[in-house]
Amino acid sequence: MGYANSAFDLLKRSGIPPYPQFYELLFTYATGVNPTLNNRINAIFRAGNTPSANLAETLYNEFLKSDVNDRMSAVSERMHARIDAVHEAIDGAMITANAYSGSLQTASGDLARDISPTAMKALADRLLAETRNMQETNASLEEKLEASRDDIASLQRDLDDVRRESLLDPLTKIANRKSFDEGMDTAIADAKITGDPLCLMIIDIDHFKNFNDSFGHQTGDQVLRLVAMTLKSNIKGKDLAARYGGEEFVAILPSTDLEGAIILAENIRKAIQAKELLKRSTNEKLGRITASFGLAAYRRGDTAGSLIERADRCLYAAKHAGRNKVFSENQLSELQSALPGVSAA
């Protein structure tokens, strides 16, 4: 808790947004477990430089950010090394066991013949020594297998962490396209079995390219994070928010009918519109952002592709109707019925 409070205090005093990666950076600094990182940050403070989100992101990328593929390779190498060690221990135990088995067979043949008391004592001593050797080998094997079990459990946790990271969008820290595709297949399979409603929401930030061109990609990235955080904070339970690509986001809404999805989308739309953007370096007001929404409900026989296609048509209709709107497939059907010549495809 002390480290956590120190990290939050540094975030507040520096005016750095409390995004997860920046908290992780300053929490690591507070613990002192990375001396190189601490030396760099201390040098920045001594030089009297004003910390900023850009500087924090640079430090995070340099010291803490790791590529998922690199981490997967490292875990794979550790797993191979541990498996090789287990094989080596088992091979050694098998050699000892085979030798012990041979000694027992030889002793059995000797005992079948009449042997002198002196030879019997020598045989017993030899078998006792080999039995002790076998016991020591088995004990060593048990220790190595126990260590391997602990290490493999640690590797499993690392693999779980890597898998979770592989399903997150690195910029917004919500689910990525891969995670969405898996979640969509699972949600449709569940809806087929249970008969519960299922809705899909597609969100597109209005005029995002113009915003990016006017204020720069870093500010555009902050807009993407803002929309992602707003979306994620408004869903709950089994709902899944994901970045679909570019400035598009999606939300899978199990056990939610179209009416409930419309209410949720309106709440998210208003929450996004209510936030005014400021450029921290100059306090310049950059205006407000808006987003358009398309909603579709699962129908018997739907695939992920067909459900996405209908939601996308609704999104196109919301854009065509002036943006900053929520459009459901019911509204699209009503519009097409009223104006037969209009197509949203």
Side-chain angles (χ1 to χ4, degrees), residues 261-312:
I262 292 172
I263 294 172
L264 175 61
E266 282 291 351
N267 290 339
I268 297 172
R269 184 189 67 79
K270 292 174 183 176
I272 293 173
Q273 186 182 16
K275 293 175 171 57
E276 186 171 23
L277 299 173
L278 291 176
K279 191 171 184 178
R280 285 189 176 276
S281 58
T282 61
N283 282 333
E284 174 190 359
K285 292 185 178 180
L286 306 182
R288 300 180 188 275
I289 55 172
T290 63
S292 301
F293 294 71
L295 297 170
Y298 170 76
R299 301 172 186 170
R300 181 66 64 178
D302 259 339
T303 63
S306 62
L307 185 55
I308 292 169
E309 182 182 1
R310 291 205 310 278
D312 205 40

Side-chain angles (χ1 to χ4, degrees), residues 1-298:
M1 287 302 298
Y3 295 143
N5 290 334
S6 296
F8 278 120
D9 184 57
L10 286 167
L11 286 170
K12 289 178 183 177
R13 287 194 285 115
S14 303
I16 298 174
Y19 298 134
Q21 67 269 33
F22 298 158
Y23 169 76
E24 181 184 359
L25 176 73
L26 293 177
F27 184 92
T28 304
Y29 171 74
T31 63
V33 296
N34 189 329
T36 308
L37 170 64
N38 281 42
N39 290 338
R40 178 72 65 82
I41 293 179
N42 289 337
I44 291 169
F45 286 147
R46 283 196 298 270
N49 295 328
T50 304
S52 65
N54 291 340
L55 179 58
E57 188 149 12
T58 299
L59 292 171
Y60 174 80
N61 291 336
E62 181 179 349
F63 288 96
L64 298 179
K65 186 178 181 181
S66 61
D67 183 78
V68 169
N69 291 332
D70 290 343
R71 288 189 63 191
M72 183 68 79
S73 296
V75 171
S76 178
E77 288 176 7
R78 285 173 57 203
M79 183 70 80
H80 281 300
R82 176 49 59 190
I83 290 172
D84 289 343
V86 170
H87 283 168
E88 184 179 343
I90 292 174
D91 288 343
M94 288 180 64
I95 291 171
T96 303
N98 288 334
Y100 184 61
S101 177
S103 295
L104 290 178
Q105 289 178 357
T106 301
S108 177
D110 291 341
L111 290 172
R113 300 190 302 270
D114 290 334
I115 59 175
S116 67
T118 302
M120 177 70 75
K121 183 178 184 307
L123 175 61
D125 289 343
R126 187 176 78 248
L127 287 177
L128 181 60
E130 293 189 12
T131 299
R132 286 173 177 164
N133 183 45
M134 189 67 202
Q135 289 174 332
E136 290 172 359
T137 300
N138 285 341
S140 175
L141 178 61
E142 287 178 9
E143 289 178 4
K144 291 178 180 178
L145 290 178
E146 183 69 22
S148 295
R149 187 182 69 176
D150 294 341
D151 198 22
I152 289 171
S154 173
L155 286 167
Q156 183 62 55
R157 290 192 294 271
D158 288 346
L159 284 173
D160 290 341
D161 290 341
V162 171
R163 172 171 168 74
R164 279 192 292 272
E165 283 190 31
S166 74
L167 296 176
L168 286 181
D169 175 61
L171 175 65
T172 61
K173 301 303 180 184
I174 65 173
N176 60 14
R177 176 66 180 271
K178 177 184 177 183
S179 182
F180 165 74
D181 289 341
E182 292 181 4
M184 193 79 256
D185 290 340
T186 300
I188 288 177
D190 290 344
K192 286 179 181 178
I193 295 172
T194 64
D196 291 339
L198 167 66
C199 282
L200 175 66
M201 177 192 302
I202 297 184
I203 307 166
D204 187 86
I205 301 173
D206 297 328
H207 302 297
F208 181 75
K209 184 179 184 304
N210 294 339
F211 191 97
N212 236 6
D213 292 343
S214 299
F215 303 111
H217 289 285
Q218 289 187 335
T219 303
D221 287 349
Q222 301 299 342
V223 170
L224 292 172
R225 291 190 185 103
L226 172 67
V227 172
M229 291 168 61
T230 305
L231 173 60
K232 189 172 183 179
S233 64
N234 278 274
I235 64 172
K236 58 183 179 180
K238 295 186 292 183
D239 299 345
L240 175 68
R243 186 180 179 191
Y244 193 62
E247 66 270 26
E248 278 196 338
F249 295 85
V250 286
I252 302 171
L253 308 172
S255 304
T256 303
D257 58 21
L258 199 56
E259 183 179 348
I262 292 172
I263 294 172
L264 175 61
E266 282 291 351
N267 290 339
I268 297 172
R269 184 189 67 79
K270 292 174 183 176
I272 293 173
Q273 186 182 16
K275 293 175 171 57
E276 186 171 23
L277 299 173
L278 291 176
K279 191 171 184 178
R280 285 189 176 276
S281 58
T282 61
N283 282 333
E284 174 190 359
K285 292 185 178 180
L286 306 182
R288 300 180 188 275
I289 55 172
T290 63
S292 301
F293 294 71
L295 297 170
Y298 170 76

